[in-house]
Amino acid sequence: MKSIIVGGGIAGLATAIGLHNKGFDTAVYEAAPAFTPAGAGILLAPNGMEVLKRTNLDLFHRVQQLGNQITRLQVVTHTHKKLAGADFKTGNLCYAIHRAALIGALAEQLPPEALHTHKRFEKFTEGSSGIKVSFEDGSQASGDFLVATDGIHSRVRGQLLGKLPYRYAQQTCWRAIVPFKLPQGYQHTFTEMWGNEPGLRVGFGAIDDEHIYFFATYFTSAGGKDDPKSLKQDLLSIYKDFPPLVLDFIKTAQVANILRNDIYDLNPGSQWHRGRVALVGDAAHATTPNMGQGGNQALESAWVLAECMAKVVQQPQRLTTGFAQYQQQRLKKAHKVVKDSWRISRLVNLKSGIARGVRNLAMQYMPPRLAEANMEKVYALEYDF
């Protein structure tokens, strides 16, 4: 059987690897001229790392080589008062890695002839014996089923389910990879600092010995644009109350490498497949990045889909059953992550200084075992195939 995958990001490549491992003839079609990531860095949480391990040991070890192990997460105020934190237990591996390195590692696991660029999706046509995908350049691809991994603004999902509502989190986000060496004690810690204004945060961690990944959020209306000439000074002004360390790596960042994106998610929907088409990753369950789970949930969905399709490769009549099992297995957890992440964005956006103070106290006095239990639920791969 042949699978067509539209979208060559983390979700698309991971889905292709999983299906390829199960014996499917798989092809990935990416709109961009190359398999380049739309992002800077990513934190591969224990669930994402475990998915890679179960998918392909060579891939798992390659990511370990390319990334930097994170042994602790901490959330502090901009004055460095502790709000929350957790150490990763033995066996719960977490790595910070450049998205380009991750995409490269994923692509290496697929035959070169399976990867196609300059292929922007136009439409699909479904028949009783297969599906045909048309691209804007006039070319077509035929297969037995289609997996849409083309992100939150999925064109495939638009044709399949119509227009779905996006939710703006009232925050924009700047991200960058910066050549910067963190001080002693920070090398294996990912730190998130919350400021004294709504939506004001900075997160950072090392992705290797010489580079860090940082993100910075800000409460503002959607659609804002940066002036390259003043961007760095604008950021230094917005985050002026943060520690010198933060200001130093902002100063070091190259303006051309600073990405800006407004933060949206999808209001959780309960339909991820229809006919010969299934949705994976942000096309199905786009989430705000507050829990660092966007890419990790995409990896989970890719892996679960492949496991649910294992019998389909020999029994094509089970296609709908495979899709339905995938949705049933993943829906509850993915929705919980989306909802919990959205709640965090609401907490970050509190406008009242008093409310933010109460929030901080509540976070400080939350029993560590409760926070750890919540994290363990996110990291657990509790599926029944």
Side-chain angles (χ1 to χ4, degrees), residues 178-183 206 208-212 245 248-249 252:
V178 183
F180 193 88
K181 196 170 184 65
L182 290 172
D208 58 36
D209 291 340
E210 303 294 337
H211 297 84
I212 69 164
L245 173 63
D248 285 345
F249 62 65
T252 304

Side-chain angles (χ1 to χ4, degrees), residues 93-259:
L93 297 176
C94 178
Y95 278 77
I97 187 172
H98 198 305
R99 280 181 180 262
L102 176 59
I103 291 293
L106 290 167
E108 288 172 359
Q109 298 298 319
L110 293 165
E113 61 270 19
L115 305 175
H116 307 269
T117 57
H118 289 285
K119 298 296 181 183
R120 183 172 294 278
F121 173 85
E122 183 177 45
K123 66 178 181 179
F124 66 81
T125 306
E126 193 172 356
S128 59
S129 60
I131 194 164
K132 183 177 292 183
V133 176
S134 299
F135 301 99
E136 288 187 352
D137 65 358
S139 63
Q140 294 182 328
S142 297
D144 294 286
F145 62 94
L146 165 63
V147 182
T149 59
D150 51 341
I152 185 172
H153 300 294
S154 171
R155 289 186 168 195
V156 178
R157 188 189 64 233
Q159 180 180 343
L160 187 72
L161 303 178
K163 188 175 182 180
L164 298 182
Y166 304 115
R167 297 188 297 186
Y168 179 50
Q170 303 299 315
Q171 296 174 25
T172 198
C173 180
W174 293 277
R175 297 169 293 158
I177 300 293
V178 183
F180 193 88
K181 196 170 184 65
L182 290 172
Q184 188 72 25
Y186 280 98
Q187 288 92 337
H188 300 288
T189 297
F190 197 90
T191 302
E192 188 171 311
M193 293 183 175
W194 291 19
N196 59 352
E197 296 178 23
L200 206 60
R201 289 177 299 176
V202 174
F204 59 93
I207 60 170
D208 58 36
D209 291 340
E210 303 294 337
H211 297 84
I212 69 164
Y213 161 61
F214 86 84
F215 70 83
T217 66
Y218 179 56
F219 185 90
T220 187
S221 300
K225 302 295 182 183
D226 292 327
D227 180 350
K229 295 180 180 178
S230 63
L231 173 57
K232 193 175 292 189
Q233 192 56 50
D234 292 341
L235 292 178
L236 290 172
S237 177
I238 291 171
Y239 300 98
K240 63 182 183 300
D241 294 328
F242 280 68
L245 173 63
V246 171
L247 302 182
D248 285 345
F249 62 65
I250 290 176
K251 291 176 184 176
T252 304
Q254 295 293 317
V255 171
N257 294 334
I258 299 176
L259 307 173

Side-chain angles (χ1 to χ4, degrees), residues 367-384:
R369 63 182 180 277
L370 180 59
E372 290 175 4
N374 289 336
M375 290 177 66
E376 287 299 323
K377 288 181 181 179
V378 174
Y379 299 152
L381 301 181
E382 297 177 340
Y383 300 105
D384 182 13

Side-chain angles (χ1 to χ4, degrees), residues 281-295:
D282 282 354
H285 47 73
T287 180
T288 55
N290 299 297
M291 295 172 64
Q293 276 292 308

